[in-house]
Amino acid sequence: MRLIITEKDNAARRIAEILSEGGASANRRNGVNVYRWGDTRVVGLSGHVVGVDFPEEYNDWRDVEPVELIDADVTKEPTQENIVTTLQQLAREADEATIATDYDREGELIGKEAYELIREETDVPVDRVRFSSITEREVREAFANPDDIDFDLAAAGEARQIIDLVWGAALTRFLSLSARQLGDDFISVGRVQSPTLKLIVDREREIQAFDPEDYWEIFADLQKNGSAFEAQYFYDDDGKEAERVWVEDDADDAYADLTSVDAATVTSVRRRTRTDSPPTPFNTTAFISAASSLGYSAQQAMSIAEELYTTGYITYPRTDNTVYPDDLEEDALLDEFVGAGHFGEDAEALLEQEDITATEGDEETTDHPPIHPTGEIPPKVDLSDDEWEIYELVVRRFFATVAEAATWEHLRVVAEAGGRSLKANGKRLVEPGYHEVYPYSSASENHVPDVEEGEELAISEVRMEEKQTQPPRRYGQSRLIQTMEDKGLGTKSTRHNSIEKLYDRGYIEGDPPRPTTLAMAVVEAAEEFADHVVSDEMTAQLEADMTAIANGEETLDTVADESREMLKRVFEELRESREEIGEHLQESLKADKTLGPCPKCGEDMLVRRSRQGSYFVGCDGFPECRNTLPLPSSGEPQVLEDHCEEHDMHHVKMLAGRDTFVHGCPRCEAEKADESEDEVIGPCPDCGDEHDGELAIKHLRSGSRLVGCTRYPECDYSLPLPRNGDISVTDAFCEEHDLPELVIDADSDDPWELGCPICNYEEYQARTAVEDLEDLNGIGSATAEKLGDAGVDSLAALREADPDTIATEVQGVSATQVREWQDELEA
């Protein structure tokens, strides 16, 4: 029997379909899909099915000094026992095995792990196949020409695992213990993660330190044959044209001169033609940047691209290459799209060009080609909207790289009015070239009429605008990844995951990402006491060392030992300042939770968590001062910069996935509830007949509103009400429940007729009932199938699932998304 091992289940299904010519069947073994036909079996892993860790005796953070982890043994243990068991069972039945994992450093390591698991059971021959797209041609060609496992390349991936484990675990434990932050609130540090965080923090410091300057710009509308066009005032500044006027009096003088005349005289007309070259092929970084302009995060873009790769529609999305291989026949690939409804006309037009020559970028590697379509074209209905949008982006980028250059005609007009100079720059697209097939790049025109030197143009309006210089922009995810690449932080395969970890750890928020107070504190502590922790030079050197391992120039043991020695030097710096580091982090963590002064004793009011897991606002003077304020029961509180002037207290936002909302000032919300009176609206359906209980509209101190029984806590019957909007009780009654209908006026032209609160809640429960996976937000049939392949085939299984594990096993699903689904189940 021949055994084929792929990196994930969907790749196994696809390869089995190709090699069996559609004749493969699937059965489950230990909860794992095994595809079979004839004497061949194909099984998919879920990425790494074994992981590196320390021996069990190092697990207790309090009993083991973090420095001890530096020289601790590193062991390998199964992380997906059912998959390991299945693989080894199949290996015992096999006469030969083929590793068909992804063709990169990580894929080679996963293949080597599978090889070692096989070797524990049998010594059958094991070979390796490599391909850059899971298409029939490439897969059949790869299996016809098998190779050997590249143990040097795998060792480079293994070195990364070991170094990241040792650095991350030792430093994470040190900082967390120093700050007394244990459990779920530990302070995470990582070899790539921390220098990346410093990039974000450094940019935030630039923004905070930025001192804006005032300046003025002046514009005039010039008339030509009844049509106006805009010209801008400029002046000579040491031989350069300058538009910004930095002195207000100078701006006033220029404005006065321009408004004192009715016409401008054209003094110069210059025409030129410019060629606009098509873009180069997509490597990973360029692809993420382009996807970002469509609104996709780096993680989302890569997850979707990986799904399109495993279904055979695009080539492998992790590549540095920007030069198509010699054996790619661009015209043949274009021909595949002729007749394809959405792309057919553009493909035909490109084939009519006299010469089809692809653009080339600066990077040429031999592992994978640039990202491009394979020529296997999916029906649009087979893809989700997001998958289709990313697929079209990849197709059209390929089209653009083989299209002709665009041609622009530029017209520059300079005029004089009142002794002042004005200029207008127009541009017109003469030959659209690649813009016809690639709508993602700007092709906007700016019309300036054809004028002649000496011509008089009427001035219809003059405007002076006061402006300020702007701070540098925060890094968007795509620009952050480009900066990481420039500095040698991480690889094409890991950079987007590093950013996702920063979000998951609470170090960054928003998009573009901005650092939290905790992030600022961690970076400041590292800079002051051990700058190697956030040094991009150190991380880049380790990346270079791992590349040397892959090239056979260094060994895993040598690089790992050098890394350990470097970490020992870091700990020598840290140990001397442990108390100062702890105090610094504790103060910063406290600041991140501080809302304002306690009105009873003057100490700080902090966001706290009860033993039951709920959040509230409590005084830092506890137990002497027991002043508290409630917070909403749903979501995780985040302290905002917005500030209540009346109570000198920051506002709070409750992070609850799609249901995130701003709670506002906790004291304001509590006082509103204290001042409000319950408004009785009818009998309580639970206790009205027996105890004369009544339902009333209640305002809680946590900011929530509900319809609840007046006999609470003896009767806890309640119905939720919307958080915002004025509630009006109407004269219309529900005959079934003997309750008035309610209307919510949320300052809109269309008030919400909520109706009978009992009927409304029953309808809501029926509408939002979660009975299977597809009832959850964001889970369609395709995602449900992928979750099922990973063993998450029910709501119960999803409740118990580890989000990080699912994110590694299921393409297109992030750990954050899994947590949102779990929160939805608990709501």
Side-chain angles (χ1 to χ4, degrees):
M1 185 262 282
R2 183 184 191 185
L3 174 62
I4 300 171
I5 301 102
T6 69
E7 193 158 321
K8 293 188 178 179
D9 174 72
N10 48 6
R13 184 190 307 124
R14 173 74 176 158
I15 287 172
E17 180 182 306
I18 292 171
L19 296 180
S20 70
E21 297 181 349
S25 60
N27 69 313
R28 301 276 280 179
R29 187 184 288 202
N30 305 312
V32 180
N33 289 328
V34 178
Y35 302 91
R36 58 185 297 161
W37 71 98
D39 201 30
T40 302
R41 305 290 182 270
V42 186
V43 64
L45 308 177
S46 62
H48 294 284
V49 295
V50 296
V52 293
D53 206 346
F54 299 110
E56 191 174 340
E57 59 264 28
Y58 290 91
N59 287 350
D60 193 326
W61 286 32
R62 295 184 184 276
D63 288 347
V64 178
E65 280 294 318
V67 71
E68 295 179 52
L69 297 176
I70 298 176
D71 289 319
D73 291 335
V74 173
T75 61
K76 286 189 176 182
E77 299 294 336
T79 56
Q80 304 287 325
E81 292 190 5
N82 62 327
I83 298 177
V84 170
T85 299
T86 303
L87 173 59
Q88 293 190 318
Q89 288 175 349
L90 291 168
R92 290 195 291 270
E93 303 166 14
D95 301 309
E96 58 178 321
T98 298
I99 305 295
T101 49
D102 290 347
Y103 179 21
D104 63 4
R105 186 183 295 177
E106 208 67 21
E108 207 71 24
L109 175 57
I110 292 168
K112 181 194 172 218
E113 292 166 355
Y115 168 84
E116 291 171 342
L117 291 169
I118 293 169
R119 279 288 171 262
E120 290 178 10
E121 305 296 325
T122 177
D123 60 356
V124 298
V126 180
D127 58 20
R128 171 80 160 106
V129 296
R130 298 180 176 88
F131 39 79
S132 292
S133 64
I134 308 183
T135 59
E136 184 166 348
R137 180 185 65 80
E138 278 215 42
V139 168
R140 290 192 177 280
E141 186 176 308
F143 276 86
N145 299 280
D147 200 351
D148 296 321
I149 295 173
D150 186 339
F151 288 97
D152 287 336
L153 185 61
E158 193 169 355
R160 177 187 302 282
Q161 277 190 328
I162 294 170
I163 292 169
D164 285 353
L165 171 70
V166 174
W167 276 76
L171 291 169
T172 292
R173 290 195 191 186
F174 179 88
L175 291 181
S176 299
L177 289 166
S178 300
R180 299 174 189 166
Q181 288 290 117
L182 303 180
D184 293 338
D185 296 326
F186 67 89
I187 298 175
S188 174
V189 182
R191 184 183 59 83
V192 175
Q193 170 187 308
S194 298
T196 302
L197 184 59
K198 178 171 163 53
L199 289 175
I200 299 170
V201 168
D202 282 346
R203 177 51 56 90
E204 196 68 19
R205 289 166 173 165
E206 290 181 50
I207 294 171
Q208 292 174 354
F210 184 79
D211 186 14
E213 292 184 69
D214 295 328
Y215 68 92
W216 291 261
E217 290 183 329
I218 303 172
F219 302 90
D221 287 345
L222 306 182
Q223 296 280 338
K224 167 76 173 183
N225 297 330
S227 177
F229 65 98
E230 185 178 77
Q232 184 172 13
Y233 164 68
F234 72 98
Y235 60 95
D236 182 274
D237 181 17
D238 198 20
K240 296 180 181 179
E241 288 185 2
E243 298 91 15
R244 295 180 176 184
V245 184
W246 299 99
V247 179
E248 185 173 10
D249 287 345
D250 293 345
D252 289 338
D253 291 343
Y255 178 77
D257 289 341
L258 288 168
T259 53
S260 67
V261 295
D262 297 325
T265 302
V266 177
T267 58
S268 170
V269 178
R270 188 177 72 194
R271 297 175 179 83
R272 63 187 177 91
T273 300
R274 184 178 67 84
T275 299
D276 177 8
S277 298
T280 56
F282 268 154
N283 62 7
T284 300
T285 301
F287 162 71
I288 288 174
S289 177
S292 172
S293 68
L294 298 178
Y296 293 92
S297 70
Q299 181 74 26
Q300 289 173 320
M302 288 304 294
S303 294
I304 295 169
E306 286 164 6
E307 184 69 20
L308 294 171
Y309 158 71
T310 53
T311 47
Y313 300 135
I314 69 172
T315 56
Y316 194 57
R318 303 178 189 273
T319 177
D320 292 324
N321 204 346
T322 55
V323 179
Y324 292 132
D326 293 337
D327 60 357
L328 177 66
E329 298 178 7
E330 289 88 350
D331 54 350
L333 182 52
L334 282 172
D335 197 53
E336 296 289 340
F337 288 91
V338 173
H342 201 69
F343 305 109
E345 290 185 10
D346 288 333
E348 286 185 48
L350 290 169
L351 285 168
E352 291 172 0
Q353 296 174 162
E354 290 185 11
D355 179 43
I356 298 176
T357 302
T359 58
E360 295 183 354
D362 296 330
E363 292 289 328
E364 184 171 12
T365 60
T366 57
D367 53 354
H368 291 288
I371 305 168
H372 64 80
T374 62
E376 296 195 15
I377 306 169
K380 188 173 182 179
V381 294
D382 286 356
L383 301 182
S384 68
D385 290 345
D386 289 347
E387 287 171 337
W388 180 262
E389 191 168 31
I390 291 296
Y391 176 69
E392 181 170 5
L393 172 66
V394 173
V395 171
R396 293 200 170 279
R397 181 63 164 229
F398 167 69
F399 282 4
T401 63
V402 297
E404 294 176 340
T407 303
W408 292 87
E409 184 180 83
H410 290 257
L411 175 63
R412 172 184 164 87
V413 174
V414 177
E416 186 272 335
R420 303 288 181 168
S421 296
L422 296 166
K423 65 177 179 179
N425 292 302
K427 64 175 185 174
R428 182 171 65 91
L429 190 58
V430 181
E431 295 290 342
Y434 75 91
H435 289 290
E436 281 195 315
V437 297
Y438 194 70
Y440 312 100
S441 58
S442 175
S444 60
E445 298 179 321
N446 182 39
H447 175 70
V448 171
D450 197 8
V451 297
E452 301 294 334
E453 288 186 17
E455 189 172 347
E456 292 281 320
L457 302 173
I459 299 176
S460 57
E461 183 184 2
V462 179
R463 298 177 302 282
M464 184 168 70
E465 298 178 5
E466 182 178 358
K467 300 181 179 182
Q468 281 191 326
T469 54
Q470 297 299 306
R473 292 184 300 166
R474 292 187 177 100
Y475 291 114
Q477 289 192 36
S478 61
R479 198 147 59 98
L480 181 58
I481 285 175
Q482 180 64 63
T483 305
M484 292 170 70
E485 180 179 337
D486 294 342
K487 292 182 174 294
L489 296 177
T491 69
K492 58 183 178 291
S493 301
T494 62
R495 292 182 187 112
H496 62 286
N497 288 325
S498 296
I499 295 172
E500 190 71 14
K501 284 181 182 177
L502 293 176
Y503 277 110
D504 288 343
R505 299 302 187 199
Y507 284 140
I508 58 176
E509 59 193 15
D511 191 16
R514 61 183 180 275
T516 60
T517 305
L518 172 61
M520 304 288 282
V522 169
V523 170
E524 287 166 5
E527 288 174 329
E528 184 171 353
F529 303 109
D531 60 357
H532 278 87
V533 174
V534 289
S535 164
D536 53 53
E537 291 89 352
M538 177 275 296
T539 297
Q541 180 57 51
L542 286 174
E543 294 289 352
D545 289 342
M546 285 181 275
T547 300
I549 295 174
N551 295 335
E553 300 162 1
E554 287 281 5
T555 66
L556 184 158
D557 290 340
T558 300
V559 171
D561 287 346
E562 289 175 355
S563 172
R564 286 186 167 97
E565 290 301 318
M566 190 183 300
L567 185 54
K568 286 177 183 176
R569 293 194 293 272
V570 170
F571 263 84
E572 287 173 6
E573 299 173 2
L574 288 172
R575 271 198 303 252
E576 298 173 1
S577 309
R578 185 166 193 159
E579 288 187 11
E580 296 97 311
I581 293 172
E583 290 174 5
H584 178 80
L585 290 173
Q586 287 175 51
E587 285 298 315
S588 297
L589 288 165
K590 179 181 174 182
D592 209 21
K593 299 175 183 177
T594 300
L595 293 171
C598 173
K600 292 187 176 180
C601 72
E603 293 284 345
D604 289 327
M605 295 292 282
L606 308 174
V607 172
R608 295 190 179 277
R609 197 170 190 175
S610 71
R611 292 178 181 176
Q612 292 74 35
S614 60
Y615 292 96
F616 67 97
V617 178
C619 181
D620 198 32
F622 179 86
E624 286 77 16
C625 179
R626 295 177 177 269
N627 185 27
T628 63
L629 293 167
L631 287 174
S633 57
S634 61
E636 180 179 344
Q638 176 189 16
V639 179
L640 302 177
E641 292 182 6
D642 294 341
H643 191 262
C644 172
E645 297 294 336
E646 181 181 354
H647 298 116
D648 192 17
M649 181 167 279
H650 287 281
H651 289 191
V652 174
K653 177 191 283 188
M654 301 303 295
L655 303 176
R658 293 178 178 82
D659 297 323
T660 291
F661 61 93
V662 174
H663 173 62
C665 169
R667 283 187 63 186
C668 286
E669 293 300 323
E671 288 179 4
K672 283 180 193 175
D674 293 341
E675 294 167 2
S676 67
E677 295 183 3
D678 293 351
E679 184 176 358
V680 175
I681 60 173
C684 173
D686 273 10
C687 70
D689 292 338
E690 185 175 354
H691 298 288
D692 295 327
E694 295 179 301
L695 291 185
I697 297 173
K698 296 172 175 283
H699 298 257
L700 305 186
R701 300 183 88 238
S702 65
S704 298
R705 302 184 300 186
L706 53 81
V707 171
C709 184
T710 54
R711 294 184 60 249
Y712 180 84
E714 288 80 6
C715 175
D716 60 2
Y717 183 87
S718 67
L719 302 165
L721 288 174
R723 294 187 59 84
N724 299 313
D726 294 332
I727 302 173
S728 299
V729 180
T730 71
D731 294 332
F733 262 73
C734 171
E735 294 183 2
E736 180 181 357
H737 300 111
D738 194 22
L739 290 175
E741 296 184 1
L742 307 181
V743 172
I744 310 297
D745 186 357
D747 297 326
S748 70
D749 295 333
D750 187 18
W752 175 15
E753 296 181 0
L754 185 139
C756 165
I758 296 179
C759 291
N760 176 268
Y761 188 61
E762 289 175 348
E763 291 170 5
Y764 170 79
Q765 285 183 309
R767 189 170 63 252
T768 61
V770 178
E771 298 177 356
D772 57 39
L773 292 174
E774 292 186 42
D775 289 331
L776 292 169
N777 287 323
I779 300 185
S781 57
T783 302
E785 182 180 354
K786 288 189 286 185
L787 288 168
D789 291 341
V792 181
D793 53 6
S794 67
L795 297 177
L798 180 58
R799 281 190 180 93
E800 300 300 321
D802 177 65
D804 293 318
T805 300
I806 297 303
T808 61
E809 291 184 22
V810 183
Q811 290 178 346
V813 172
S814 68
T816 301
Q817 177 68 79
V818 176
R819 293 188 185 97
E820 287 184 6
W821 290 330
Q822 291 172 333
D823 289 343
E824 193 173 339
L825 288 177
E826 297 304 319

